Amino acid sequence: MEGQDEVSAREQHFHSQVRESTICFLLFAILYIVSYFIITRYKRKSDEQEDEDAIVNRISLFLCTFTLAVSAGAVLLLPFSIISNEILLSFPHNYYIQWLNGSLIHGLWNLASLFSNLCLFVLMPFAFFFLESEGFAGLKKGLRARILETLVMLLLLALLILGMVWVASALVDKDAASRESLYDLWEFYLPYLYSCVSLMGCLLLLLCTPVGLSRMFAVMGQLLVKPAILEDLDEQMYIVALEEEALQRRLTGLSSSVDYNVMELEQELENVKIFKTKLERRRKASAWERNLVYPAVMVLLLIETSISVILVACNILCLLVDETAMPKGTRGPGIGNASLSAFGFVGAALEIILIFYLMVSSVVGFYSLRFFGDFIPKKDDTTMTKIIGNCVSLLVLSSALPVMSRTLGITRFDLLGDFGRFNWLGNFYIVLSYNLLFAVVTTLCLVRKFTSAVREELLKALGLHKLHLSRAPRESDTAKPSANGHQKVL
């Protein structure tokens, strides 16, 4: 009898493992297909010849698609876990959701951590070096020579990173046991290295998210139709049509020898056409779209941003009085045993909305920074090198998103897998400083955003506007093209 029970338990365990593996494969396949269509939409179209460079580009494309799918999985990881916890709490004995259990959630977290390490330290460096390789001098050119050069470069990079992390560990933690633990590659070195990368990702999020939260208002203002208050759109359309006609006449009158003037006039004509298209869209928009949708979206963005700052402020107070508020504090009741929010399913839905809002804001803030402005992909005109850079950046941001959400107190869901093993999450001063900096920087960015018009008027009244003390973008400046001939509009 005991033997039959043991066999039955083994069969049940085997079937559960197969079911969880199938679910993980299906979820990843969906993310991979979506990521492939996204990358091919922005990738520069090349010739269809099956030469060596085409094969290298195709391999790099597959690796970038895999990395982008892992990034999307890391973004969806925390919201999926939160909604799964609420579903299991509401329907604990439902037959149709028996596949949704704690084992599946833990497996997804472990796979996300494993694939993030694999993409960040192996696949993306391989794709970059493979794309830039030509083969060592003296060897026969071909794929084998390029693969050999790529593997040698990966080995040198691994040795360089290993030495840097070992020296950093020796400087920060002078304990001999901690330095000796780095010799264990799988158990200590990779988690320690990923912990350092996660800390850098959280710092990058700390820089990008406040900028993105203030930038979201301008982005939505570009996507939506603003209300026409004290504006005559028909008169503006008439003026723009006259200006377009005048530019076309000047272009036809100029000789082709004056290349600079022709290029300048063509660019000016293109800007006028873009502005004319925007005016036509505003004129064709309905009254509901102009007068209701735009104010509602702006109010919604303001409410979400205010709730985020309030939650961070409450988390700061909890950190000061309760040690269980630490991201690496005591473990919760488990998945499906208790609700993560005092408001139940509504509170969980609000947490998910805020997590997605923070992720979108961080991406917008990332591309709004001057240093990363050249990373903005262009449709059908993005090189593979720039795609690799974008995939690495999104992977670092998405991998740090669950850690940042838990550190700021946006959610109380415990970090699972290697995400909860980061050493710096148990440092009270780092966590408290992170929360304080986020709240202060976000508040300053919002105040600067909403007071920019007032500051411009004050500078004009004082006669200081010629000094360019305010860096608020003007309407005339946003229409000017960049040096590469493309407008920097998100």
Side-chain angles (χ1 to χ4, degrees):
M1 192 68 180
E2 294 180 357
Q4 293 179 355
D5 294 339
E6 184 178 356
V7 172
S8 177
R10 289 181 180 178
E11 290 180 353
Q12 187 177 3
H13 178 70
F14 174 76
H15 289 306
S16 64
Q17 291 292 327
V18 172
R19 182 175 62 248
E20 292 172 7
S21 302
T22 305
I23 293 172
C24 294
F25 176 78
L26 291 176
L27 292 176
F28 185 78
I30 294 173
L31 294 177
Y32 187 90
I33 294 173
V34 175
S35 302
Y36 178 79
F37 283 111
I38 292 175
I39 291 181
T40 52
R41 177 180 175 83
Y42 290 98
K43 179 180 176 296
R44 176 178 293 175
K45 297 298 184 288
S46 57
D47 297 333
E48 299 297 332
Q49 300 177 358
E50 291 293 332
D51 56 353
E52 180 181 323
D53 292 334
I55 297 175
V56 172
N57 284 331
R58 190 175 295 111
I59 294 175
S60 301
L61 174 64
F62 291 151
L63 296 180
C64 290
T65 306
F66 185 87
T67 304
L68 187 59
V70 172
S71 303
V75 172
L76 299 174
L77 191 61
L78 190 56
F80 181 78
S81 302
I82 294 174
I83 197 66
S84 300
N85 180 75
E86 297 299 326
I87 291 176
L88 290 174
L89 189 63
S90 303
F91 309 99
H93 303 294
N94 194 317
Y95 174 77
Y96 296 101
I97 59 171
Q98 292 299 316
W99 57 272
L100 191 62
N101 49 36
S103 177
L104 175 64
I105 303 300
H106 282 80
L108 290 175
W109 280 79
N110 291 328
L111 287 176
S113 176
L114 175 63
F115 287 159
S116 297
N117 282 288
L118 179 65
C119 294
L120 193 60
F121 301 121
V122 179
L123 297 185
M124 285 294 94
F126 179 85
F128 177 76
F129 290 134
F130 192 43
L131 197 66
E132 299 294 331
S133 63
E134 297 180 355
F136 291 112
L139 295 179
K140 183 179 179 180
K141 301 298 182 181
L143 287 177
R144 292 185 178 180
R146 299 182 71 164
I147 292 175
L148 178 60
E149 180 183 354
T150 304
L151 293 178
V152 172
M153 294 298 296
L154 281 178
L155 179 61
L156 295 176
L157 179 64
L159 293 176
L160 176 63
I161 296 178
L162 177 64
M164 292 175 61
V165 172
W166 197 89
V167 171
S169 175
L171 294 175
V172 174
D173 192 357
K174 299 182 180 180
D175 187 9
S178 65
R179 293 195 298 270
E180 291 177 358
S181 66
L182 286 176
Y183 292 112
D184 193 342
L185 182 65
W186 185 260
E187 290 294 331
F188 294 96
Y189 174 69
L190 286 180
Y192 183 83
L193 182 59
Y194 191 57
S195 176
C196 298
V197 174
S198 174
L199 179 59
M200 290 188 293
C202 288
L203 294 177
L204 183 60
L205 283 175
L206 181 62
L207 178 64
C208 298
T209 307
V211 176
L213 289 175
S214 60
R215 178 69 178 151
M216 283 292 291
F217 296 92
V219 172
M220 296 307 297
Q222 295 175 359
L223 297 177
L224 299 176
V225 179
K226 298 181 180 180
I229 302 175
L230 300 178
E231 284 185 291
D232 190 353
L233 296 180
D234 294 330
E235 182 181 356
Q236 293 186 18
M237 283 291 300
Y238 179 72
I239 295 174
V240 170
L242 291 178
E243 186 175 357
E244 181 182 5
E245 185 179 356
L247 288 173
Q248 289 178 351
R249 289 180 178 177
R250 291 179 62 185
L251 278 174
T252 55
L254 284 176
S255 60
S256 59
S257 59
V258 190
D259 295 334
Y260 179 76
N261 291 334
V262 171
M263 292 178 58
E264 186 178 358
L265 287 176
E266 287 179 350
Q267 185 61 54
E268 189 175 353
L269 180 62
E270 184 68 23
N271 294 335
V272 170
K273 289 182 178 180
I274 293 174
F275 185 63
K276 182 180 178 181
T277 304
K278 293 180 179 180
L279 286 178
E280 290 178 349
R281 184 191 172 203
R282 292 183 62 186
R283 190 173 63 174
K284 293 179 180 179
S286 62
W288 289 96
E289 185 179 357
R290 288 198 306 265
N291 302 324
L292 182 62
V293 176
Y294 181 82
V297 172
M298 292 295 120
V299 171
L300 183 62
L301 291 178
L302 183 60
I303 291 175
E304 290 180 347
T305 307
S306 303
I307 292 176
S308 302
V309 177
I310 292 173
L311 287 177
V312 174
C314 294
N315 188 55
I316 293 173
L317 297 178
C318 292
L319 288 172
L320 296 175
V321 299
D322 188 7
E323 63 179 6
T324 59
M326 292 288 294
K328 205 175 181 180
T330 57
R331 290 297 177 185
I335 300 175
N337 295 326
S339 179
L340 301 173
S341 176
F343 300 100
F345 194 85
V346 177
L350 179 61
E351 290 179 359
I352 293 174
I353 293 174
L354 290 178
I355 290 172
F356 281 120
Y357 179 59
L358 290 178
M359 184 60 197
V360 174
S361 301
S362 64
V363 174
V364 172
F366 175 79
Y367 288 116
S368 298
L369 297 176
R370 294 183 178 180
F371 184 76
F372 302 106
D374 295 334
F375 271 50
I376 299 177
K378 302 177 181 63
K379 183 181 177 182
D380 297 333
D381 192 27
T382 307
T383 61
M384 281 303 304
T385 305
K386 188 176 291 187
I387 290 177
I388 292 174
N390 279 274
C391 290
V392 172
S393 303
L394 293 177
L395 179 63
V396 172
L397 293 176
S398 60
S399 299
L401 179 65
V403 183
M404 186 193 74
S405 301
R406 182 65 181 89
T407 304
L408 296 177
I410 303 298
T411 179
R412 294 297 177 184
F413 190 87
D414 291 323
L415 299 174
L416 305 176
D418 289 336
F419 290 93
R421 295 171 56 186
F422 299 149
N423 296 327
W424 62 271
L425 292 176
N427 192 314
F428 172 77
Y429 297 102
I430 293 180
V431 174
L432 182 62
S433 301
Y434 192 89
N435 282 262
L436 289 172
L437 283 175
F438 183 88
V440 172
V441 174
T442 303
T443 305
L444 291 178
C445 288
L446 291 176
V447 170
R448 181 179 181 273
K449 173 67 179 179
F450 289 109
T451 59
S452 59
V454 179
R455 286 186 285 107
E456 288 285 340
E457 294 299 328
L458 288 176
L459 291 176
K460 288 181 180 180
L462 296 175
L464 301 177
H465 59 284
K466 297 181 180 181
L467 299 178
H468 301 288
L469 297 177
S470 177
R471 292 182 176 271
R474 300 175 182 175
E475 190 71 24
S476 60
D477 294 337
T478 56
K480 293 181 179 180
S482 60
N484 58 2
H486 298 278
Q487 286 187 352
K488 295 185 177 181
V489 179
L490 185 62

